[in-house]
Each structure stands twice: as structure tokens, then as C-alpha cells.
Amino acid sequence: MATSKQTLKDNETKPWGDDGLYGLVSEWPVASDLAGNTLPCRLEGEVADLVVLGKIPKEIEGTFYRVMIDPFVPPNEGNVPIDGDGNISAFRFHDGRVDMKMRYIETERYKLERKAGRALFGLYRNPFTHHPCVRAAVDSTANTNLVYWAGQLLALKEVALPYAIDPDTLDTIGYDPLEGQVQSKTFTAHPKVDPKTNELVVFGYEAKGLATLDVVAYALDSQGRKTTEHWLKAPWCAFIHDCAITENFVVLFMWPFECNMERMKQGKHHWAWSYARPATFIVVPRRLGSANKYGWKDGEHRVYSWKNCMPIHTAGAWETAEGKIYAESSRVSDNAFPFFPAEDGRMPSSEPKADFVRWEFDLNKPTGTPIPDPDVILDAPSEFPRIDERLMGTRYEWVFLNVFIPDGGGSKNIFHGLNGLAMHNNRTGETRYFYAGDGALCQEPVFIPRSEKEADGWVMTLIERRAASRCDIAVIDTQNFERPIAIAHLPFHIKSQVHGNWVSGSILGSAKSLVRRYEETRISGKGALEPL
């Protein structure tokens, strides 16, 4: 009986190839972040009433905003995974239900490249590799974090200033909503909210332009108005991704990368890892006079250093009456960004040691003082630490983290094996774990308070289930951390987020559906949509 598929003779090549793709190739480059389950989504749309297993408490009212790197056009060969367009996923929780909306952040770069139908921007943060027609454009993908402040959702990328986003429609409102109050060209992707003063604490590095040593730290009040400002020079042009705040200080975490203008002019990367540089911390007073009691002059900042490593993301920090600052962060023993290798081409270990540690800074010691070895708080691959942020700037007891749990599947590599969450108690040393399942990957947790008691509430995390090509949102009660009380199924797989945050409905206003048609209409008895 004849079939539609030919029978091949010995040694004859299959015309369709082993993968069934007929040997066809795409304009998209072959890269680990653009293949298999990490293919670009390139999707905008909305879904009402996601399928939920279990029951979402009705007290959970608000929106979980997350942003992922999702290039709309094929990137240039040789570019790095952190440089794709920002795409927002917003999940609105209301009345025990959850709706979903996805939109691209319409940056100047996104609009120019979408119109052209091809990449116009070359290597990450290297204008010498861009097409001449876009060299005056804002080179930001706004793809790293989303923070709600002064009535606006700010889409952040530390290479530039924020884009303002409508928190309901996810429309892009415009660039630099702070209207140039600080003469900085950059704005961190990790500002911190001080709950006592109701200020957003901000910094920017390369603040006066490409490869400059200029760093600025400042604060914005609840209306988005600048309250303080402090300029300084960094020891070298380094990657300063995250910070920690206390009541009186900001600690800036410098990674051992170096920017080199001549290297960029040669068409190479903005950053190169330096094995000669230590992890370095700049401690900056938040207000004039706040450090005078330790012998500091007004306007002074101090620099402390440790060994070569990468302290990636911070949980929180606090200061003591004796003049000590303690700050906690994830730590990787080697270069965690292998796409920015050392100048000599040396690549990092394929299995770098990773853990969660507490750093100590003595404000009574002069600048340049090496700090002691940090205390290891959790000796496991750990990343994206979060706390009950109502305690930001003060001492806290509980930390939530992404972790590798060795009893399940996955790899010990921090980049591929974060298959669970940990809830760690700094006072007792107790650690509780949530395991997401074999082959699952947990993303950055967010905490939602239920009462005034620290860490009493719920933790939310998006879980990638790559084998099933699906994602879930798990809702976990902190009183029973080991298993979720509800799981919302996404109807498709979306790419890993960079960062995300929860915004309460009490801040956003009424927690209405994100899905416009669903909110404005109802289903009639005949199955037709009618106005409410």
C-alpha cells in the first residue's frame, strides 16, 4: 500500500532532515537563549480567567508584573542574551481569579527596529557597532525590572532612564517621566523603597556618559520629586547592578567587570571580566551629616573591597549603633556572565560555586579597607533573594530565595538548576523548601503580606515546565511553605523573566480585570456579548 512518505534507499539522505525541518534555516541566530523552549514569544495579547488549580484567596488583590527579554527582530550575531526587547507579562488577581496581559515596551529602539524589520543596534551598550541612523536614539530595551512609583509603572534598564508604562493598559507613555530632575543619563534597574520615609532610593553609574566614572545616588519622594543627590567617582568603570539601603546609607555593589572605550571602538564588548579586580562596595551617606559621628566629612563616601567574585542581587541591609552595616546578597565565585569573558579570553568555570552570604562593613574604618570574609547564610546555589519589603533598610528575619534543591532533578549549575524556593530564618537558621518538580525552574519570588507580622502572607513565583512547554504561577502560603495552595496555568510557555514585582490593588486602585472586553461586557443567556 502506498504511503505519503518515500522509502529511502541505503545511504540516501532524508530530504526533510532528522529534525523534520528540511534543512531550512532562519534569520534568527543559533543561540541558547533563542532555541527550544526559549524561542522568542513575540506575543502581545490578553487572557481572561486563567485555569486555576486549588483556590486563590480573595485577599490577594493586585497585579504581579514581570518583564522578560524577548527580541522582536533577529539580533545581530555576537550580541548577548541581556539585550533583547522588554516584554511585560502582567497577572491581575481579583476575586479569586487571575487575568493575564502581555505587551511589548515600545521603546525608541523597539519602534525603530520593528519599522525597519531588522536589527539596527549592534552589541550591548556599544554605539560604535550600531547602524549610523540610530546612534542618536535612546539605546534602551527597558527589559530588566518594573517598579511602580509616583503613580506610574517604570520600566527599567540601567543603561538609560526609565520608560513610563500605563499599569492597566500596559501602553508605553514615554521616556524619562522624572523630567530630567537629575542630570544623569542612567537609572538603576534596582531602586529601593524606604518604607519609613516613603522614598525611592536610586543610583546611576556611567551617569555622565559612556565609560565615565561618574556615579550618582539620590532619592525621590512619593510624588516623584528629588529630595537628595550625591555625586561621586567610581574606582574604575564597573558594572554596578544592585544596591542595598539602610536608614542612613546606600551600599553600591560593584562587579569585577571593566568597561574600555578603545575595546568598544574595535567593535568588541562593553564589558570584560577582570580576574584582577575585587568585588568592591561603595558606601554613600543618604543625607548630609548622617555619617559625621563616624568621622566622615559631608559629601564623603567610602570604598571597601573583598576578593574576586560576583555578588549579584541583594536581599536587604541594616546598620548598628556601633557603626557596622550588614548587607546580604547572592554570591557566585566566578564570572556569572560568560558572554562577557575576560580580555584574554579566559572563560569562567562551568560549575561556579554559588551561595547566599552576609557582608560586614565597618563605618569607623577608612576608605580602601578590605572587609572580612562574609558569613555564609545558605550554602546552596541561590539567587534573586527577596524579603518582606516593609522592613527594607532595617533588620529582618526572613528571606525568600530561588535555590537548587539536590533531591530533585536539574543541574548543580546555578544558571540551569534553580528548581525550587527557600524560606530562610536568619534568627533560628531554619530553612524551609518548596520544590517545583523534576525539570521545573522557579523564577524570582514576590511576597504579598497578609498581616502586619513579618513574612505572614503568600509567596508567588512563575514556574517554567519546559518538558510540557508550559508555565504556571504558584501561590504559596508562608505558613505551609512546602506546597502551593493554588496554581494558575498559563496556556503557553513564556520566556524566563529578569525581575518582577507585586503591586497591591490598594495602591493601583480597584483591582479590575486587565482584559478590557471581559471587564466591559458580560455573557448573555444566548451566548452573545452584551454591555454590562
Side-chain angles (χ1 to χ4, degrees):
M1 182 176 178
T3 65
S4 60
K5 186 181 289 186
Q6 287 183 300
T7 301
L8 298 180
K9 299 176 182 177
D10 290 345
N11 301 322
E12 185 177 355
T13 303
K14 289 186 241 181
W16 54 86
D18 287 331
D19 56 8
L21 299 179
Y22 298 89
L24 300 175
V25 296
S26 167
E27 292 182 1
W28 289 81
V30 177
S32 61
D33 61 307
L34 299 171
N37 282 93
T38 58
L39 282 171
C41 293
R42 302 173 73 250
L43 175 67
E44 294 185 303
E46 49 194 33
V47 182
D49 246 349
L50 295 181
V51 173
V52 174
L53 304 181
K55 189 173 183 180
I56 298 171
K58 290 191 175 183
E59 298 92 332
I60 298 180
E61 291 244 352
T63 305
F64 171 29
Y65 294 101
R66 65 185 290 279
V67 64
M68 61 188 181
I69 298 170
D70 191 17
F72 188 83
V73 299
N76 279 313
E77 289 279 358
N79 204 8
V80 296
I82 61 174
D83 202 31
D85 296 304
N87 190 330
I88 300 172
S89 312
F91 301 93
R92 177 144 298 169
F93 287 74
H94 61 109
D95 302 318
R97 293 143 53 187
V98 55
D99 305 319
M100 173 184 182
K101 184 189 285 285
M102 290 178 63
R103 287 287 301 274
Y104 271 102
I105 301 165
E106 295 189 354
T107 63
E108 187 174 6
R109 171 170 165 162
Y110 166 84
K111 291 190 288 186
L112 287 167
E113 291 191 326
R114 182 162 183 170
K115 183 177 180 180
R118 64 186 182 93
L120 300 172
F121 294 78
L123 297 181
Y124 174 78
R125 214 167 176 178
N126 185 347
F128 302 105
T129 64
H130 299 347
H131 191 284
C133 73
V134 299
R135 287 187 179 169
V138 176
D139 181 12
S140 172
T141 52
N143 68 10
T144 309
N145 208 349
L146 297 163
V147 174
Y148 188 81
W149 193 252
Q152 300 182 92
L153 187 63
L154 304 179
L156 305 177
K157 179 79 171 179
E158 62 203 54
V159 305
L161 300 174
Y163 276 88
I165 307 297
D166 185 288
D168 287 322
T169 66
L170 303 188
D171 291 339
T172 302
I173 298 169
Y175 183 66
D176 187 18
L178 305 174
E179 300 175 341
Q181 292 185 71
V182 177
Q183 297 305 303
S184 173
K185 297 179 181 294
T186 59
F187 188 104
T188 178
H190 283 289
K192 306 296 181 187
V193 176
D194 184 331
K196 286 190 173 181
T197 63
N198 201 21
E199 290 176 304
L200 188 71
V201 181
V202 177
F203 71 92
Y205 67 95
E206 292 184 74
K208 292 188 177 178
L210 195 68
T212 61
L213 301 181
D214 300 281
V215 178
V216 63
Y218 56 101
L220 302 167
D221 68 14
S222 60
Q223 303 303 309
R225 296 178 298 239
K226 181 186 71 175
T227 57
T228 62
E229 183 176 353
H230 183 107
W231 285 86
L232 59 99
K233 295 284 188 182
W236 75 92
C237 186
F239 217 140
I240 310 178
H241 180 64
D242 204 353
C243 72
I245 66 168
T246 69
E247 180 182 357
N248 294 299
F249 295 90
V250 184
V251 184
L252 307 179
F253 282 57
M254 295 179 65
W255 295 348
F257 288 96
E258 292 182 313
C259 173
N260 182 290
M261 184 70 82
E262 290 306 312
R263 182 174 64 242
M264 285 190 285
K265 288 179 178 179
Q266 295 169 18
K268 299 178 182 178
H269 283 302
H270 185 104
W271 297 117
W273 180 265
S274 171
Y275 284 99
R277 295 284 189 187
T280 299
F281 309 86
I282 305 175
V283 180
V284 184
R286 288 176 54 185
R287 296 171 186 82
L288 289 177
S290 59
N292 293 163
K293 60 184 175 182
Y294 306 117
W296 296 40
K297 298 177 182 177
D298 282 346
E300 184 180 359
H301 65 274
R302 293 189 180 177
V303 178
Y304 303 88
S305 62
W306 193 66
K307 303 170 185 176
N308 184 260
C309 73
M310 194 167 169
I312 303 183
H313 289 110
T314 66
W318 63 92
E319 61 189 84
T320 70
E322 296 74 34
K324 300 282 185 70
I325 288 178
Y326 295 94
E328 296 183 338
S329 79
S330 58
R331 176 183 64 168
V332 177
S333 62
D334 206 332
N335 176 9
F337 281 4
F339 41 83
F340 293 134
E343 278 272 32
D344 61 7
R346 178 179 170 185
M347 297 299 291
S349 165
S350 61
E351 292 286 345
K353 168 73 173 172
D355 51 17
F356 180 67
V357 300
R358 181 180 302 143
W359 307 92
E360 179 188 290
F361 310 97
D362 190 339
L363 302 175
N364 301 290
K365 298 288 181 66
T367 191
T369 302
I371 61 175
D373 291 349
D375 293 330
V376 176
I377 306 303
L378 194 61
D379 189 11
S382 311
E383 244 293 44
F384 302 112
R386 302 295 293 264
I387 64 172
D388 182 336
E389 292 176 356
R390 295 173 297 178
L391 296 172
M392 186 66 72
T394 60
R395 188 157 193 172
Y396 49 88
E397 187 170 331
W398 290 97
V399 185
F400 307 100
L401 310 99
N402 287 133
V403 292
F404 166 71
I405 299 175
D407 292 341
S411 161
K412 291 184 180 179
N413 187 325
I414 188 173
F415 310 117
H416 302 103
L418 298 180
N419 53 15
L421 300 179
M423 180 177 176
H424 179 78
N425 188 299
N426 273 341
R427 180 177 56 84
T428 66
E430 170 198 6
T431 307
R432 297 159 59 190
Y433 293 95
F434 163 74
Y435 176 56
D438 292 345
L441 298 177
C442 280
Q443 298 177 19
E444 180 180 35
V446 295
F447 171 71
I448 305 164
R450 170 171 44 206
S451 70
E452 294 184 0
K453 181 182 177 182
E454 179 187 354
D456 177 48
W458 303 274
V459 168
M460 197 174 287
T461 182
L462 190 136
I463 301 172
E464 285 188 89
R465 303 195 184 278
R466 292 188 173 182
S469 194
R470 193 188 78 238
C471 290
D472 297 327
I473 297 176
V475 181
I476 304 163
D477 192 316
T478 58
Q479 293 183 2
N480 184 22
F481 194 73
E482 289 71 22
R483 55 185 299 116
I485 57 171
I487 290 177
H489 283 318
L490 276 62
F492 42 76
H493 180 274
I494 57 177
K495 287 170 68 71
S496 299
Q497 73 193 53
V498 185
H499 292 290
N501 284 290
W502 172 260
V503 183
S504 168
S506 64
I507 297 173
L508 289 171
S510 59
K512 59 186 178 182
S513 168
L514 280 169
V515 182
R516 201 172 303 133
R517 194 178 184 207
Y518 185 78
E519 180 71 17
E520 294 170 354
T521 59
R522 66 177 174 85
I523 303 294
S524 75
K526 298 178 181 179
L529 289 170
E530 295 180 347
L532 283 173

